[in-house]
Amino acid sequence: MLRGWVKDKRAALHGSTHSLNSAAELQELEAALKAVAHIMNDDLETAGAKLSEGNSSFHKLGKGVVAFLRATLGFEPEIIREASEVLADAESAASSDFRRAQKDPQAFHSSIYTPGSEYSLCLSQSQLMSAVVGILNENLMEGIKGFYKLRKAYINLDTILEAERKYVQSKESSSSFGARRNSFDSLATNGTARSMKQMPGGFGDEISKSTGMNNAQTFPGMQENSSKKAASWDAVNDNDPEDDDSDEFADAEETLETAVNPRNYTGHVDVDGATKRLAKTSIASPTTSSPREPSTPFSPISPTKSTYQLLEQDPESDIFSNPLDAFIHSGANLCFGLLLVLLSMIPPAFSKLLFIIGFKGDKPRGIRMLWQATRFYNINGAMAGLILLGYYNGLVGFCDILPDSNISVNDLAAENIEGYPTHRLEGLLHEMRRRYPQSRLWLLEEARMVASKKRLDAAIDLLSGVDKSPLKQIEALSMFEKSLNAMYSHRYDLCSQSFRNCCDLNNWSHALYYYIAGSAHVELYRRAKASDDAISAAEQASHATELLHKVRENAGKKKFMARQLPFDIFVVRKLNKWEARAKEWNVSFIDAIGVSPFEEMVYFWNGHKRMGDTQLQASLAALAWSEDIALNPHSHREGLDERAILAVLRAAIFRAQGDHEAAKGLLKKDVTSHDRSLFKNNLKDDWTCPAAHYEIGANLWMERDGSERDRERVKEAEEWVQKAGSWEKYELDARIGLKITTGLETLKGWKKENGV
């Protein structure tokens, strides 16, 4: 009783003591959606101003989205701290409104969801954003709290999805669902869509058996039947920021009363006008055409046996006739889909963090949920589209061992969304650019898509347009993408200038920017020497030395969870290595640099995947300098360490050219045949050995030709990649680990599909 009184006092402090009713909720949601429409058109100022006109949980969530985007697009410490405060306020308001919605008979009562689900969703979205902001914070404890918030959001979202499952069950025998009963019945038996009675994301019996843990062990403090209302509402109610101070990582044990859903109540009472207005509300710019008018090849996922049945419904379905239901459904798919994908891709180096969260991911299901969310014309659909484009053009583009793109199947189908569904992505991008014509975010994604097709010059041209975004953070992202494309295309001067421009646009990692810019001039210096242009060589040597010496003074200024950024540590060690060699060999700093640091950076961003044959040949030419005695008179002094770097970089190029035998042979001869202890030293590059193991696995995967030998190739590939995944800590292990995690998942999936 005392606890409830204290929470009511907290609610009063946050200005949320008003009585709830469905008419007011619809009006507040309508106003908030109109305001956040400006966010996706790069107009955060207008969005913030309009959101400030309201004080509902929806408005506060919108303010949180604005603050979150500012924080994550720019990584500025002061903006990150401000976002934490705004999101804490949004969490508190949503938590208070959720509790009241449980008891207020005038509050919105959905025919699908339990009372207060709209606020539970707001709470979950606030927690997810707050978790990301906390992880970006330089304070370790804030980072740990961030991972714990992911766990809390996961549990809240499970409650919403459980309500959807029960609704579908109740409608199974009706005419609208009976025709698709087989699809729903398959849910309990299909391995990719486990019963929703279990925790979503892969916590079925098979997981429990494989880990030796039951649900109670997996989720401390929770009963095995997590779908029971008392446990579910407990999880949702332990969300006040103030509670974290006194009981940091424990869930509350408070059971709230739940209002009974009137059988025929759909939330439309006395609000027909508001409902109709909200149903027509578009988050597109007021100057654009109605988003309800089909104008693109963008298509939803086709229904499949492995797809959760409610996900097959589109926004025009009678199921979502109430805009609040559509908001809840699209938001739950956005948030839970994102969680499932992210958790499935955590690198081995961060695997222990999964124990904090307490859950595992499910990438196929998560991707399908995100695609489902994109069908809705609200902020949830827009964010899902942005996430999907970022996932496919960024993370998928970064990895090598990926599910096959089945060219015999139309890639609009659900079965073909794990590789790179080109047509679907093009349709999605076209639709989002139509909805938000003023946004440069979609132009950035288009440039990434063009680069993935090995049209680097075209991608650079797209990012070099005269039209600029009013958001400095988006301009910084565009400049960084332009810098990378210039690096992949060996446009050294443009690469150097672009990375130096990045220093003026954000404060993330100036040490890395200066390092790559300086490395570009190292290549120009070597080219000038090769052409006997002494004047140009001296000039480029001066530029390279100046930029590389700026690295140390800028390293360590930015931290991640109280630790230095991995690349900052890497580049400082490289400088120390070259300075030690210069002193030992009695040569200039520029001549003590070994295997092309520029090509090394290309490898770490997997730039070879975006290169055509001309650029791949240019990379091989740059690497040839290391073994050319005429150009590099100190080549005979290079030890195993530098030879291993050269081997890994060359092998990656051979793999991109399709010469897998040459790649594997080189890696085995110059790297994996040597004892791993020989690569360990304060100044040595210890990443080459695990990277070589991964590369051999990637070559084996790409050698498949549809023959019986594929089974052995895949089994051997998995062995090599598993060795890389179980490696002890090494430099840049998280970056390489992302490839390893994705690769192992793909290999295991192939074996399962092919009965290996």
Side-chain angles (χ1 to χ4, degrees):
M1 180 177 179
L2 178 61
R3 180 184 176 97
W5 179 84
V6 171
K7 287 192 173 184
D8 287 341
K9 295 294 287 181
R10 288 176 183 166
L13 291 174
H14 289 278
S16 299
T17 59
H18 62 281
S19 177
L20 300 172
N21 65 77
S22 55
E25 287 186 68
L26 284 169
Q27 291 169 353
E28 289 166 348
L29 179 61
E30 179 184 30
L33 285 178
K34 285 182 177 178
V36 296
H38 297 280
I39 293 177
M40 303 312 296
N41 258 328
D42 296 0
D43 191 358
L44 297 190
E45 295 301 327
T46 300
K50 290 187 175 293
L51 288 167
S52 297
E53 296 173 1
N55 198 41
S56 70
S57 289
F58 305 120
H59 286 82
K60 291 187 176 182
L61 175 63
K63 294 175 188 175
V65 173
V66 172
F68 173 77
L69 288 175
R70 289 188 186 278
T72 54
L73 291 176
F75 302 107
E76 306 289 344
E78 56 278 2
I79 296 178
I80 289 175
R81 285 191 291 270
E82 179 185 337
S84 297
E85 296 173 2
V86 175
L87 288 167
D89 185 41
E91 282 187 63
S92 183
S95 180
S96 298
D97 280 343
F98 168 78
R99 288 194 297 272
R100 273 197 306 283
Q102 292 291 294
K103 304 174 183 179
D104 192 338
Q106 298 301 315
F108 169 68
H109 287 74
S110 168
S111 59
I112 304 175
Y113 305 102
T114 51
S117 291
E118 65 272 34
Y119 297 115
S120 177
L121 174 64
C122 290
L123 180 60
S124 298
Q125 290 181 321
S126 298
Q127 288 171 330
L128 284 175
M129 291 185 287
S130 183
V132 174
V133 169
I135 293 168
L136 291 177
N137 196 299
E138 296 183 2
N139 182 280
L140 178 60
M141 184 54 65
E142 290 301 315
I144 294 175
K145 284 183 180 180
F147 279 100
Y148 184 65
K149 282 182 182 290
L150 290 180
R151 177 181 182 270
K152 297 170 81 175
Y154 196 119
I155 297 172
N156 293 350
L157 292 165
D158 171 53
T159 303
I160 296 174
L161 296 173
E162 173 71 5
E164 289 191 358
R165 183 192 67 83
K166 290 181 178 178
Y167 177 80
V168 173
Q169 280 188 327
S170 71
K171 296 292 183 178
E172 271 191 281
S173 58
S174 69
S175 59
S176 61
F177 285 83
R180 283 181 282 186
R181 179 171 183 134
N182 289 338
S183 174
F184 180 79
D185 288 344
S186 70
L187 201 60
T189 58
N190 190 292
T192 60
R194 301 175 182 87
S195 171
M196 287 296 293
K197 288 183 180 180
Q198 300 161 345
M199 288 296 279
F203 276 82
D205 292 337
E206 57 270 52
I207 296 294
S208 299
K209 291 175 183 176
S210 65
T211 59
M213 299 166 62
N214 58 29
N215 286 346
Q217 290 172 314
T218 308
F219 315 126
M222 294 185 65
Q223 297 297 321
E224 183 171 348
N225 295 325
S226 62
S227 62
K228 291 183 179 180
K229 286 185 178 179
S232 297
W233 297 136
D234 266 355
V236 174
N237 276 292
D238 180 33
N239 290 299
D240 284 343
E242 295 90 342
D243 290 347
D244 289 342
D245 296 333
S246 58
D247 191 13
E248 192 139 20
F249 299 124
D251 288 330
E253 297 181 357
E254 176 183 358
T255 301
L256 295 174
E257 300 174 6
T258 55
V260 179
N261 249 3
R263 181 177 297 273
N264 298 318
Y265 185 77
T266 62
H268 289 269
V269 180
D270 297 327
V271 294
D272 286 348
T275 299
K276 290 177 181 177
R277 289 196 307 273
L278 192 50
K280 295 178 181 178
T281 298
S282 165
I283 58 172
S285 169
T287 61
T288 63
S289 59
S290 170
R292 299 277 178 182
E293 300 171 6
S295 61
T296 73
F298 174 54
S299 301
I301 296 175
S302 303
T304 65
K305 290 184 179 180
S306 64
T307 305
Y308 180 36
Q309 187 173 8
L310 192 59
L311 299 186
E312 299 171 7
Q313 311 304 319
D314 59 40
E316 286 75 28
S317 168
D318 291 341
I319 295 176
F320 301 120
S321 59
N322 189 289
L324 279 165
D325 284 335
F327 173 73
I328 296 169
H329 174 73
S330 60
N333 276 273
L334 162 67
C335 296
F336 205 80
L338 176 60
L339 267 177
L340 293 180
V341 172
L342 288 180
L343 293 178
S344 72
M345 298 185 72
I346 290 182
F350 291 101
S351 59
K352 290 185 178 179
L353 293 175
L354 287 175
F355 289 103
I356 298 176
I357 306 170
F359 304 101
K360 289 177 71 70
D362 184 344
K363 189 187 299 180
R365 183 172 174 228
I367 293 172
R368 288 188 173 93
M369 295 181 81
L370 288 169
W371 276 112
Q372 170 65 11
T374 63
R375 301 168 71 180
F376 288 78
Y377 300 94
N378 55 30
I379 186 66
N380 297 324
M383 291 298 294
L386 189 61
I387 290 167
L388 280 171
L389 288 167
Y391 166 76
Y392 284 112
N393 294 325
L395 293 175
V396 170
F398 176 73
C399 299
D400 309 293
I401 306 176
L402 297 165
D404 297 315
S405 294
N406 188 353
I407 59 175
S408 65
V409 177
N410 185 337
D411 68 9
L412 295 179
E415 292 90 342
N416 197 35
I417 60 175
E418 292 182 62
Y420 190 89
T422 304
H423 296 314
R424 290 205 74 212
L425 290 171
E426 289 174 347
L428 175 62
L429 179 61
H430 183 88
E431 171 65 11
M432 291 303 170
R433 290 201 68 181
R434 185 186 69 83
R435 292 189 201 177
Y436 312 103
Q438 280 80 46
S439 177
R440 291 275 297 182
L441 273 173
W442 311 112
L443 186 64
L444 172 62
E445 292 302 333
E446 182 177 355
R448 287 174 173 168
M449 193 176 293
V450 169
S452 71
K453 298 176 181 179
K454 304 183 179 182
R455 296 169 53 206
L456 294 171
D457 288 340
I460 292 172
D461 290 342
L462 276 174
L463 296 168
S464 302
V466 294
D467 294 332
K468 303 295 182 184
S469 170
L471 294 179
K472 180 181 177 182
Q473 296 92 336
I474 293 180
E475 283 303 300
L477 285 174
S478 298
M479 183 58 67
F480 183 72
E481 193 68 24
K482 179 180 177 180
S483 303
L484 290 177
N485 288 330
M487 181 170 72
Y488 306 150
S489 57
H490 299 92
R491 294 170 64 171
Y492 298 114
D493 284 314
L494 178 62
C495 176
S496 174
Q497 184 59 58
S498 298
F499 271 112
R500 281 179 283 156
N501 289 343
C502 287
C503 295
D504 298 326
L505 292 170
N506 70 57
N507 293 325
W508 181 243
S509 182
H510 287 188
L512 175 64
Y513 302 156
Y514 282 122
Y515 180 83
I516 299 178
S519 297
H521 288 284
V522 170
E523 292 303 319
L524 291 172
Y525 163 74
R526 292 177 176 178
R527 283 190 174 190
K529 280 193 68 176
S531 60
D532 293 325
D533 188 342
I535 296 177
S536 179
E539 181 182 339
Q540 296 300 335
S542 176
H543 288 323
T545 303
E546 178 186 358
L547 290 168
L548 290 172
H549 283 162
K550 285 186 177 182
V551 169
R552 202 185 306 278
E553 63 190 66
N554 284 278
K557 291 185 176 180
K558 183 68 182 176
K559 289 182 170 57
F560 178 76
M561 293 185 70
R563 294 184 178 182
Q564 275 190 279
L565 299 177
F567 264 118
D568 280 13
I569 297 173
F570 175 84
V571 297
V572 168
R573 180 192 58 77
K574 296 292 277 193
L575 288 178
N576 292 338
K577 179 179 183 179
W578 298 335
E579 288 172 349
R581 282 153 57 106
K583 184 177 181 180
E584 179 184 349
W585 296 354
N586 193 28
V587 297
S588 66
F589 172 78
I590 194 75
D591 287 326
I593 297 174
V595 177
S596 172
F598 188 88
E599 292 299 327
E600 198 173 32
M601 288 294 104
V602 169
Y603 175 79
F604 284 127
W605 262 273
N606 208 7
H608 302 124
K609 193 173 181 178
R610 293 169 176 79
M611 291 183 183
D613 187 63
T614 300
Q615 296 306 332
L616 291 172
Q617 291 296 336
S619 287
L620 286 175
L623 294 175
W625 176 91
S626 295
E627 294 179 329
D628 190 321
I629 298 177
L631 298 176
N632 177 23
H634 309 290
S635 60
H636 65 283
R637 295 182 174 180
E638 300 290 9
L640 175 64
D641 179 37
E642 288 291 314
R643 291 200 304 272
I645 298 174
L646 181 62
V648 172
L649 301 186
R650 272 184 174 158
I653 298 170
F654 292 160
R655 174 168 59 80
Q657 293 177 322
D659 193 350
H660 303 297
E661 284 300 324
K664 291 186 298 179
L666 181 61
L667 291 166
K668 290 177 181 179
K669 178 175 70 75
D670 287 351
V671 188
T672 63
S673 61
H674 300 281
D675 189 278
R676 66 175 66 183
S677 63
L678 298 176
F679 298 93
K680 295 179 181 179
N681 180 284
N682 289 336
L683 298 180
K684 289 183 178 179
D685 288 76
D686 61 356
W687 61 270
T688 54
C689 215
H693 282 73
Y694 166 81
E695 284 291 331
I696 293 174
N699 277 282
L700 286 162
W701 171 253
M702 293 177 180
E703 278 185 303
R704 291 171 304 127
D705 55 11
S707 67
E708 279 298 313
R709 287 192 60 197
D710 286 354
R711 291 171 171 263
E712 293 304 316
R713 289 185 179 116
V714 172
K715 287 172 64 176
E716 186 182 352
E718 186 178 34
E719 292 173 3
W720 282 100
V721 179
Q722 281 179 337
K723 287 180 183 178
S726 61
W727 215 267
E728 64 266 24
K729 185 174 178 59
Y730 58 92
E731 211 167 39
L732 300 180
D733 52 1
R735 174 162 286 265
I736 298 173
L738 179 60
K739 292 184 175 185
I740 292 171
T741 300
T742 303
L744 286 174
E745 183 182 63
T746 299
L747 293 166
K748 290 176 181 177
W750 189 94
K751 287 173 62 181
K752 182 177 180 180
E753 290 175 7
N754 291 273
V756 179

